[in-house]
Structures are given as C-alpha cells and as structure tokens.
Amino acid sequence: MDALKDSDMSVEEKKRMGEMLQRLEIENPADSDDEYSDDEQSLAERLQGVDLDADPDVVWERLTESERLEFAQILKSENLGMLVPSWKPWWMQHDAELIEVVKQEGLDSISLGSSQSSTSVPKAISSIPKLSEILKNNEPSPLVVYDIINVIFSYSLLIRFYNGEVTEFTIELAQHLLDISQALSANKNYTSTEEAVHSAIEHVTKNLKEAGNQRLNCLQDVTHILLGKSPSHPLDYVEGALSDCWRIASSAKKSVAKDSSQKQFQKQLFGCKKKLEFHLAWAAEFLESFKIAAIEVQCLHRTLLQEEQLQRKVESSFDTKIRKKHSETKPSKLIEEITK
C-alpha cells in the first residue's frame, strides 16, 4: 500500500489502475491462470465484487506482491501504456481491391492492410436530411471537404489519445473535439488541406499538448478514412467518423442536460451536431472530392515528415558540435562557462 501512497497518483489514476488490471485478466485468462498455484486465486477472482470506481485502495490490497512490484515499476517509468491493451483503429482495414486503386492514385506510400480492428466501423446516422433541404436555395461549396478534413483529423487524434474508449469519456471527448476543431466550434471554413490540418495542430498544441506528437500518425489516419473501406464503399469510413462525432456530441449533451452551469457547452454541442449533419449530407453528394483530398493529405504528410527528419538532423548535428566543443575545452574553462 505504501508504494501507492508514495506515488503521485490521483484517485482517477487509481481507478484506471483497477480497470486496466481487470481488463488484462479478462482478456488474457490463460496467461494469468498459469501464474497461480491451486491455493491461489486469479486476479479476476480476487477482484470479484470490488467496485473499481469507488475502491481503488482495495484493488491494490488484493494484488500479489509481484503484481504490486510490476505496477510500481511501470509507474516509476511513467509507462502506463504497458497496462493498456493496444487499440486498433477500425479505419485501418481495407478490402484487397483498394490496393490497386491506391497505386494508380499515387498513394502507394500508405500501408493498407486487412488486420482485424478492436472495434467495428461506427454505423452511419440514417436520419440525415438531403443537402438541398438543408441549404434551401443556396449552392453547396466544394470547399466543405477541407472542413471535414479538419474534423476527421481532430477525431482520429482524440480517439487514439483515448485508446478507443469512446463511451466512457464522451464529455471529455466532446470538449476536446470542440477545442481542436474550429470547423465545429467556431464555424471556421477552410480553403485548403494545409490550412485545415495546421489549424487542428495549432489547437492541439494549445489544448492537449500530450497528443501533439501524433500529428503524422493522424495524417495517415485521415488518408485511410478518406479512402474508405473499398472502391465500392468509398464513404463508409467518412460517414462512420462523422457519425461517431455526432454520437459523442449527442451523448455529452444528454449528460449535461440538467446542469444549469453548462448552458454554453450545451449550445455548442447542439451547433456541433447540426454542423456534422450538414457534413454528412454534403459528403453523400460529393463522393469524388475525397479521392483528391486523400492525395492532398498524403502529400502534406510527406512534407511534414521531411521537415521533421530535417529538424532531427539539424538538432543532432548541433548536439554533436556542442559535445565536440566541450570535449576540446579545458576542464577549468568548461566549469567557468557552466557557472556563468
């Protein structure tokens, strides 16, 4: 128990500890059973009847000495990700027929696979009015695709950050989605892929710095989603992502419906849902836009990757020069420079 008390874990982190440990036991029962003798109970048995949300300290007490040691070592290394089963995005699955199309479109640098996802593709919202009904007599803009790119980039980043745990954190997800995607929260309209992506990256840096290092992965995610599952189902993933955003906003709105202090948040969520309905209606009539957008996103990915590699090279060269300078400097002179 002292190891837990001595750490800086919050109550929320303690709860997550119990959830993660129990999940590991449930998902890997064969592995865990081998660790116990006939007289010892498995982790699932020891945690039976324990309220993981209310009794994190009880969870700790029921761990074996080796389990406590292992968890303490993970805490010390700040690598809690070791306890979390890896979530595989649903948008990474593609039918074989798409591979040839990808090569023809100049997207052969993106890796397509058919590995099983941890979750199924979110079902598309069915009760969406037609675009003509939403716009009345106004003409739809072809630039809406860039607003959708901004939303999908924000969505994929957040889903990865929360390791696919959508239903458990809808309020937090919805708030972050509004913080990062200005297309949803501020009715911002973009005129290029680069502008849409850089806007999202900028707001990630401001509001969720921990996820900022995922920008290159998320660009690949956006390409996967824009490509769709197959040439015969090109919209499945775009509609799935936008519909999932709609459900997150809807669930969060219901959760804070009776909280009078959340009126502004409720209003933002209502506007977010309407914007997503418009995006879904637009997507249904502008199928071809997503093929071109996928190529543009992949080109931007290459550019940012090259910039990042160049930056690493410059930093490495600079560090080498500094080390060389220090190695050639007399000890007395080096101490003088450091203590200035």
Side-chain angles (χ1 to χ4, degrees):
M1 196 65 195
D2 292 338
L4 186 60
K5 288 179 179 177
D6 290 341
S7 72
D8 294 327
M9 290 177 69
S10 65
V11 173
E12 199 62 38
E13 288 171 322
K14 292 179 185 178
K15 292 177 184 177
R16 289 291 288 167
M17 172 197 71
E19 292 169 1
M20 289 185 288
L21 287 170
Q22 187 181 54
R23 187 185 303 163
L24 280 177
E25 172 67 17
I26 291 171
E27 294 187 359
N28 303 284
D31 295 338
S32 56
D33 288 345
D34 293 340
E35 298 176 6
Y36 305 103
S37 68
D38 294 336
D39 296 328
E40 292 181 301
Q41 292 179 307
S42 69
L43 181 58
E45 291 172 329
R46 282 176 279 140
L47 293 178
Q48 189 172 4
V50 177
D51 186 339
L52 295 174
D53 290 331
D55 303 323
D57 291 342
V58 176
V59 173
W60 182 260
E61 289 172 358
R62 296 193 183 185
L63 298 181
T64 64
E65 198 63 38
S66 62
E67 287 168 347
R68 292 183 189 181
L69 179 60
E70 182 180 359
F71 190 79
Q73 288 172 338
I74 293 171
L75 274 182
K76 189 176 180 180
S77 68
E78 297 183 349
N79 192 9
L80 285 173
M82 289 174 64
L83 288 176
V84 185
S86 179
W87 176 77
K88 297 178 182 178
W90 48 263
W91 54 77
M92 302 297 284
Q93 300 181 84
H94 301 280
D95 290 351
E97 61 180 314
L98 187 63
I99 297 175
E100 191 59 36
V101 175
V102 163
K103 289 180 180 178
Q104 293 173 2
E105 297 290 346
L107 287 166
D108 46 328
S109 63
I110 187 169
S111 176
L112 298 182
S114 56
S115 58
Q116 290 298 309
S117 167
S118 302
T119 51
S120 57
V121 181
K123 189 177 180 181
I125 302 296
S126 57
S127 56
I128 300 298
K130 291 183 178 181
L131 190 60
S132 58
E133 295 175 9
I134 297 175
L135 293 177
K136 304 300 181 184
N137 297 323
N138 296 319
E139 286 294 319
S141 169
L143 300 180
V144 174
V145 67
Y146 301 121
D147 301 346
I148 293 175
I149 287 173
N150 176 265
V151 174
I152 291 176
F153 180 94
S154 306
Y155 166 78
S156 67
L157 182 141
L158 289 171
I159 298 302
R160 278 193 179 274
F161 183 74
Y162 280 90
N163 201 41
E165 299 284 355
V166 176
T167 56
E168 294 181 31
F169 304 100
T170 51
I171 294 177
E172 293 90 341
L173 269 166
Q175 185 60 69
H176 285 315
L177 188 61
L178 291 171
D179 288 340
I180 297 170
S181 175
Q182 297 299 288
L184 293 178
S185 61
N187 273 328
K188 173 72 176 176
N189 299 124
Y190 301 100
T191 57
S192 70
T193 293
E194 188 172 359
E195 183 188 8
V197 170
H198 280 303
S199 172
I201 292 173
E202 177 187 349
H203 286 87
V204 167
T205 305
K206 288 181 181 177
N207 299 288
L208 197 64
K209 290 182 180 179
E210 311 93 293
N213 62 350
Q214 290 293 320
R215 63 176 190 167
L216 290 176
N217 287 336
C218 289
L219 279 172
Q220 291 284 57
D221 289 338
V222 174
T223 305
H224 279 284
I225 293 172
L226 294 177
L227 285 173
K229 184 176 178 59
S230 68
S232 56
H233 296 87
L235 266 187
D236 280 9
Y237 288 177
V238 170
E239 289 181 336
L242 295 177
S243 295
D244 212 17
C245 289
W246 188 94
R247 290 190 184 92
I248 290 168
S250 182
S251 178
K253 189 172 183 295
K254 287 179 182 178
S255 298
V256 298
K258 296 181 180 179
D259 189 344
S260 58
S261 66
Q262 297 280 5
K263 292 293 184 183
Q264 182 59 31
F265 187 37
Q266 293 172 30
K267 185 177 179 181
Q268 286 181 308
L269 291 170
F270 177 80
C272 175
K273 288 175 63 179
K274 290 299 179 184
K275 191 74 174 182
L276 288 163
E277 289 171 10
F278 168 68
H279 288 162
L280 282 161
W282 187 94
E285 296 191 21
F286 284 82
L287 286 170
E288 294 301 316
S289 298
F290 297 111
K291 290 182 181 179
I292 300 170
I295 296 173
E296 291 180 356
V297 171
Q298 193 60 11
C299 287
L300 179 58
H301 174 270
R302 290 190 193 121
T303 300
L304 293 180
L305 179 60
Q306 289 169 357
E307 289 177 359
E308 194 168 286
Q309 290 172 337
L310 179 60
Q311 183 178 353
R312 286 200 199 112
K313 189 174 180 181
V314 170
E315 289 174 352
S316 177
S317 176
F318 179 76
D319 290 342
T320 301
K321 288 179 181 178
I322 292 295
R323 284 194 297 270
K324 185 177 180 182
K325 178 183 177 183
H326 283 176
S327 67
E328 294 173 350
T329 304
K330 292 182 179 180
S332 57
K333 184 67 175 177
L334 182 58
I335 293 172
E336 183 182 335
E337 288 182 3
I338 295 174
T339 54
K340 278 183 181 180

